[in-house]
Amino acid sequence: MFTVIGIMFGGIAVGYLLRKFALLQKMGKTISYTILLLLFLLGISVGANEAIMDNLATLGGQALLIAVAGTAGSVLAAWGVYTLFFKERSRR
Amino acid sequence: MKGSLVVVGFFVLGCLLGWSGSLPAFILENDITMYVLYLLMFQVGLSIGSDKKLKDILGSIRPKLLLVPLATIIGTLTASAFVGLFISKWSVFDCLAVGSGFAYYSLSSILITQLKEASLGMQMATELGTIALIANIIREILALLGAPLFAKYFGRLAPICAGGATTMDTTLPIITRYSGKDLVFVSIFHGIIVDFTVPFFVSFFCSL
């Protein structure tokens, strides 16, 4: 846990010090390529894993449950915050 | 949307290659993934640190606006913990780790697979990582498809909170359409804050 976050903060410090270099403003692209590579690697370990391939429907069902719950929870919380704090301002 | 299709495409391609069994054994050992993850986290840090808008963004934070990402985080985590009570296979903290991806499927799935390996073992960790990937992709799709509905019945902030960490890029166009153009800044601000919390929440819940 600390390695991952530590490396990110190391990156923030280096990025701040080197912020004048125009190259760093193009990090978005290389980040996307790295993510693609990582998901490709994750795909390989999932595909090579027989237990996961056999249980894909079960895993997908659990994933759907968590996704629907998370979305519903945040939508409800948004409704609460909106009615309590934001609605009056938008009426003005 | 096109971006997420490419991402899913790469994942599926990897699945097929791994499934075909034609790969040499050294690729299947997980060490490569870990180093590429470190590389990714360093790049994420670089892009945050060198962002010229960082100061403007930090300076423009008004306390009231923080309520929007706060609602997303509290709503998502409460509901994920609740669901965690009913999925016997995974602990509440496992479900919280999946939920705290906030639709940022690529990073959360990789982090979970790596960080959970020590406590759950590689098999279960890869399974939970797969759940995180699917769950957070579904969440992005729900945010895209549900935006008009959420805005109509739960107020203009609802599409933003549903979008989680994606509201400054992939779901921004649909949010501006259904929540109104005046909320563009709120949506971007919300996305940046939630996006930033993903590595913290995911690794925190993985360590419990």
Side-chain angles (χ1 to χ4, degrees):
Chain A
M1 160 184 185
F2 292 110
T3 322
V4 170
I5 306 256
I7 287 174
M8 188 176 81
F9 273 108
I12 293 180
V14 174
Y16 184 72
L17 292 174
L18 302 179
R19 65 189 179 282
K20 296 232 165 79
F21 290 88
L23 194 69
L24 280 180
Q25 309 299 325
K26 288 175 188 156
M27 289 307 293
K29 272 229 166 102
T30 65
I31 289 178
S32 320
Y33 293 138
T34 316
I35 286 179
L36 288 182
L37 174 65
L38 270 171
L39 280 163
F40 179 65
L41 290 171
L42 183 66
I44 288 179
S45 53
V46 167
N49 192 317
E50 276 176 31
I52 289 186
M53 294 308 276
D54 292 343
N55 289 314
L56 214 51
T58 320
L59 296 181
Q62 292 167 348
L64 181 69
L65 212 59
I66 299 176
V68 170
T71 313
S74 50
V75 165
L76 284 177
W79 175 73
V81 164
Y82 183 67
T83 1
L84 286 176
F85 301 102
F86 284 83
K87 217 170 185 175
E88 298 235 309
R89 201 180 66 177
S90 64
R91 262 189 210 141
R92 237 190 278 159
Chain B
M1 196 68 193
K2 194 185 150 210
S4 9
L5 283 179
V6 174
V7 164
V8 175
F10 266 82
F11 176 73
V12 171
L13 193 69
C15 280
L16 290 174
L17 263 175
W19 183 65
S20 73
S22 58
L23 288 170
F26 73 90
I27 294 181
L28 296 175
E29 282 156 28
N30 250 349
D31 289 67
I32 311 173
T33 319
M34 196 178 67
Y35 291 118
V36 184
L37 173 67
Y38 289 167
L39 180 72
L40 175 69
M41 293 314 290
F42 187 69
Q43 289 177 75
V44 170
L46 276 182
S47 74
I48 295 173
S50 65
D51 197 327
K52 292 203 169 106
K53 286 172 280 174
L54 186 68
K55 269 192 187 147
D56 298 345
I57 292 164
L58 289 176
S60 63
I61 295 178
R62 272 178 227 97
K64 197 179 172 186
L65 284 184
L66 281 171
L67 287 169
V68 187
L70 199 68
T72 308
I73 292 166
I74 292 176
T76 305
L77 295 185
T78 313
S80 306
F82 182 73
V83 163
L85 297 173
F86 296 95
I87 303 179
S88 54
K89 185 170 178 186
W90 307 105
S91 76
V92 168
F93 297 124
D94 293 340
C95 292
L96 280 167
V98 173
S100 53
F102 298 112
Y104 195 168
Y105 44 82
S106 48
L107 187 64
S108 62
S109 57
I110 291 154
L111 276 175
I112 288 175
T113 311
Q114 290 297 319
L115 296 176
K116 271 283 164 187
E117 202 184 321
S119 56
L120 286 180
M122 200 183 129
Q123 179 65 37
M124 297 270 281
T126 314
E127 283 184 28
L128 195 64
T130 310
I131 291 184
L133 179 72
I134 304 174
N136 286 296
I137 288 176
I138 294 178
R139 177 156 183 179
E140 184 182 323
I141 296 170
L142 286 176
L144 286 170
L145 299 180
L149 209 73
F150 300 152
K152 192 174 169 198
Y153 293 104
F154 298 96
R156 299 195 301 146
L157 292 177
I160 300 179
C161 292
T166 66
T167 60
M168 84 271 207
D169 40 55
T170 45
T171 53
L172 184 61
I174 200 116
I175 287 170
T176 43
R177 184 159 163 211
Y178 292 103
S179 294
K181 275 197 182 130
D182 52 321
L183 289 185
V184 170
F185 173 72
V186 178
S187 180
I188 295 174
F189 170 75
H190 170 271
I192 291 171
I193 299 285
V194 175
D195 190 272
F196 191 70
T197 67
V198 171
F200 293 98
F201 277 118
V202 172
S203 34
F204 175 66
F205 290 124
C206 280
S207 71
L208 291 175

